[in-house]
Amino acid sequence: MFKKILIANRGEIAVRVMRACREMGIQTVAVYSDADRTSLHVRYADEAVHIGPSPSTRSYLRIDRVIEAARRSRAEAIHPGYGFLAENPDLARACTKAGIVFIGPTAEAMELMGSKTASRHAAIASKLPVVPGTDRNLESLDEVKRLAEKIGFPVMLKAAAGGGGKGLRKVESAAELESAYRTARSEAQNAFNDPSVYLEKYIEQPRHVEIQVLGDHHGNLIYLGERECSLQRRHQKVVEECPSPLVDEDLRRRMGETAVRIAALAGYTNAGTVEFLVDRDRNFYFLEMNTRLQVEHPVTELVTGVDLVKAQLRIAAGERLTLRQEDIRMRGWAIECRIYAEDPANSFFPSPGLITYLRPPSGPGVRVDSGSYVGWRVPLEYDPLLAKLVVYGDSRASAIARLERALVEYEVSGIRTNIPFFRSVAAHPDFIAGRLDTGFIDRFLADGFPRREMPEPEAQLVAMLVAALESRREAAGAVTPVPATNAWKTGGRESLLSSWPARR
Ligand code: MV4
């Protein structure tokens, strides 16, 4: 096993990887930019190397600086986390060249899966289920028109270099095709420096279900169940769970076996995720493969009992998978909420700033993967993910009850967070019933969220005033009755406790 590795990332995921390292006796090296001098991942690591100014293009995205930091600190391997360089084949190649192990798949596997058309082509050639559409880039408007008619409207135009919802365009009719084609191409060019687009049949009200896979360097490839990720806002996942309420044992086995076959097409090693769209008749179609550890990996960990980061480290060190497919058992239910420094009452705008108070939830079935602490200033330079709240219960209902309890416990002051938004989601009848199609969040926001709440500074003033009055009454010998929960006692959090639409 490695003695020392470098984590080429920041925030909660860097801390998550370092936690696995500490348990395995592996020394850790953090990298950091100017904005992250006091960040938790820097404090947590055994060593830290400054790699540049705050903009990620001049720090976390600089392959040369990351490699140099690994060389100087004599790290044997690099874990890329997610985002930043995680799916950049050039980092994997630079590692190989420098004699450093890249903790992830090969550059070739990343390249094949990085191209949506190349991965679709490979899957179609092996007769695996793929969203109906083209298996190569479209060359001309004439070709687009001809193929769209053949597929049948509505169709989706997608960027070949895209993924994760970037560069999508729904086209309802032939009349819209020409202008959609031109905008899609120019958007793809701007976002990915590659104008290539392709066509898919539009799947109505799909669900997003993804399969976790692990592959070692000895030909073993297994799947670790699914994650339900249909709750998204602007193609950003908001809530993820494992298992999916939609998936039964038979569908899980069929999707899992398909995912393993797709991964095998790339000679896949290490941790990866195969994404599927599932239609209303529960047909599933390969969408894309993510060649990294994902944000939502903890829900799979809680339900399968497998530590995915430790598995990644062992695989990268050349060890054999000790788990066989038949050893993977799913037990209980896990739900994750991504806690962001953003203001749900103001179109989810980022809300960076100083954290003046923090009381994360704890207790049975609660896991918080966090990169923040009291007194830390959330930088505005990066994705404002503060923490992931992950709850576990023996059933979906008990996981939801724990989620509601944990969200009531969660207190953050100084910045705005999306915690109130999750309190409302967790209490929503459609969420509770597992009706999680991709339109849920939009309908939910249109239906009257957010409710008005007392602004934070005023709420704090009220709470201080109440506390001062109570202590004077007590000093004068009065017995303070146990108060009924009210807006004064809770410093304005009352409206959060009685979340929309109504407490059950
Ligand atoms: C689609 C689709 C309908 N038909 N592709 C792909 C990436 C994901 N973030 C959005 N994607 C979609 N691809 C075809 N052919 C609908 C979506 C989609 C979606 C999918 C899963 C979960 C939420 C979604 C929200 C909007 C659109």
Side-chain angles (χ1 to χ4, degrees), residues 59 67 71 87 118 130 132 180 213 226 235 251 268 315 364 401 430:
S59 49
I67 295 283
R71 269 218 187 92
E87 294 182 275
V130 169
V213 300
E226 77 283 2
H235 303 302
L251 183 57
Y268 200 85
I315 288 166
D430 286 349

Side-chain angles (χ1 to χ4, degrees), residues 131-132 155-156 158 163-166 168 200-209 229-232 234-237 275-277 287-288 437-439:
V131 186
V155 294
M156 276 296 240
K158 297 192 175 187
K166 276 173 269 166
L168 302 182
E200 281 181 5
K201 170 115 195 98
Y202 185 82
I203 310 285
E204 303 284 349
Q205 282 178 35
R207 306 212 358 185
H208 174 134
V209 179
C229 303
S230 294
L231 295 197
Q232 306 189 2
R234 299 191 180 169
H235 303 302
Q236 286 272 45
K237 292 168 188 162
E275 294 188 351
F276 294 95
L277 286 184
L287 198 56
E288 59 189 70
D437 75 87
T438 50

